[in-house]
């Protein structure tokens, strides 16, 4: 116990600008405590206090601010906080902005590695991976099932929504979609965490041809789409493009086992049909036109 008092007195003396013990002389006043400190504990305390004093003195010698209090300590090696524009989307505040950027980085990989021109099912799994979704073809619908993702005309919007929006419901505003449309539990099960905060889902694209879009992503989740799959209106509807929320091309593919292994042709035609007349159809229409011209030549 005596060593404990000596340790405190030594620290206070070392902390004083003059090196003298402050007026509050703990060493000469009785200290009442409610537990015993063994000698090893006292030695550890003394070492810790003196080490703190030493580091403070070094910092002062280097001209750094050593004002007491953890909140006043500055660290030159602190991680820079991203600007607000990189963390929050003012127009669509449900967007998981950092996650969306991570999705775009993965799509850039697909645009160059040739997998979107491979077998359709392999390409579809790569789309899930790029979008931050697990391949869960055997899960129950509503509990993470992703077997339908990019496999019909409608579930082709890869949406990255933040945690505060993933439980949003459709109040009936999105036409053609069930009122409620509770997707939150499935989003949490299927989303890959390594892409950042929030979750991912292949939401319904119906309503995207209005301005502004009146689809599940933009209305129910108040989120942008990271990418949208659009089938190209060529003779066989056997090629697709991925476009971003502004309709700009991110990647394209023509599966090697098409058209037989692709989603049903009617689904592919309907997919283009719900995009027609919108910014999301422009790239697909341009590609179909250029392919037609090239074939004619």
């Amino acid at each position: 116990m005596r060593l404990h008092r000596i340790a405190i007195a030594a620290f206070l003396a070392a902390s004083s600008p003059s090196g003298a013990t402050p007026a509050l002389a703990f060493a000469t006043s009785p200290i009442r405590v409610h537990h015993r400190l063994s000698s090893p504990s006292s030695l550890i305390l003394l070492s810790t206090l003196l080490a703190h004093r030493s580091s403070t003195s070094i910092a002062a010698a280097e001209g750094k601010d050593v004002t007491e209090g953890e909140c006043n300590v500055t660290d030159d090696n602190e991680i820079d906080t991203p600007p607000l524009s990189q963390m929050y989307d003012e127009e669509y505040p449900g967007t998981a902005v950092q996650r969306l950027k991570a999705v775009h980085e993965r799509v850039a990989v697909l645009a160059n590695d040739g997998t979107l021109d491979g077998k359709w099912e392999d390409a579809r799994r790569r789309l899930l991976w790029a979008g931050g979704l697990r391949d869960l073809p055997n899960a129950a619908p509503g509990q993470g099932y992703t077997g339908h993702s990019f496999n019909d005309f409608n579930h082709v919007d890869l949406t990255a929504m933040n945690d505060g929006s993933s439980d949003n419901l459709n109040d009936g505003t999105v036409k053609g979609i069930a009122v409620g449309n509770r997707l939150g539990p499935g989003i949490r099960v299927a989303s890959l965490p390594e892409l950042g905060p929030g979750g991912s889902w292949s939401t319904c694209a119906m309503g995207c041809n209005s301005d502004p879009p009146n689809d599940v992503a933009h209305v129910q989740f108040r989120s942008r789409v990271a990418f949208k799959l659009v089938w190209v209106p060529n003779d066989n509807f056997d090629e697709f493009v991925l476009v971003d929320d502004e309709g700009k091309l991110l990647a394209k593919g023509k599966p090697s086992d098409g058209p037989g292994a692709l989603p049903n042709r009617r689904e592919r035609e309907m997919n283009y049909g719900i995009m027609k007349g919108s910014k999301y159809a422009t790239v697909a229409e341009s590609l179909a036109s250029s392919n037609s011209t090239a074939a004619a030549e």
Side-chain angles (χ1 to χ4, degrees), residues 215-228:
D215 51 30
V216 169
H218 295 91
V219 176
Q220 180 174 332
F221 292 110
R222 301 182 68 201
S223 172
R224 297 185 188 275
V225 296
F227 68 80
K228 183 188 296 283

Side-chain angles (χ1 to χ4, degrees), residues 280-296:
Y280 301 118
T282 303
V283 170
E285 291 167 347
S286 178
L287 186 58
S289 177
S290 61
N291 288 346
S292 178
T293 300

Side-chain angles (χ1 to χ4, degrees), residues 206-281:
M206 290 177 62
C208 71
N209 61 345
S210 63
D211 187 17
N214 190 50
D215 51 30
V216 169
H218 295 91
V219 176
Q220 180 174 332
F221 292 110
R222 301 182 68 201
S223 172
R224 297 185 188 275
V225 296
F227 68 80
K228 183 188 296 283
L229 184 149
V230 186
W231 288 100
V232 175
N234 58 24
D235 290 341
N236 294 314
F237 282 85
D238 59 353
E239 189 172 5
F240 65 86
V241 295
L242 304 180
V243 297
D244 68 9
D245 198 64
E246 297 302 320
K248 295 178 181 178
L249 179 66
L250 296 174
K252 61 182 179 179
K254 187 173 184 177
S256 59
D257 54 353
L262 304 179
N264 184 275
R265 178 178 176 121
R266 176 168 171 76
E267 298 285 340
R268 306 195 310 271
E269 291 179 354
M270 289 176 64
N271 166 267
Y272 167 69
I274 65 174
M275 313 287 177
K276 190 174 180 180
S278 76
K279 59 186 177 182
Y280 301 118

Side-chain angles (χ1 to χ4, degrees), residues 43-104:
L43 291 173
I44 291 171
L45 173 62
L46 178 59
S47 299
T48 302
L49 295 175
L50 293 178
H52 170 81
R53 170 60 184 168
S54 175
S55 62
T56 303
S57 300
I58 292 171
E62 293 176 349
K64 295 181 178 179
D65 181 9
V66 292
T67 306
E68 292 296 333
E70 184 177 337
C71 293
N72 293 320
V73 176
T74 57
D75 184 355
D76 293 337
N77 296 320
E78 287 182 0
I79 298 174
D80 291 334
T81 302
L84 186 61
S85 61
Q86 295 182 21
M87 302 173 64
Y88 178 76
D89 188 311
E90 186 173 353
E91 185 176 2
Y92 290 104
T95 307
V97 177
Q98 302 244 342
R99 190 175 182 88
L100 181 148
K101 291 180 183 296
V103 170
H104 284 174

Side-chain angles (χ1 to χ4, degrees), residues 111-131:
N112 294 291
D113 69 3
T115 57
L116 298 183
D117 294 322
K119 293 182 178 180
W120 165 245
E121 195 52 39
D122 293 338
R124 193 186 73 85
R125 291 191 185 100
R126 290 289 279 171
L127 292 175
L128 292 172
W129 169 82

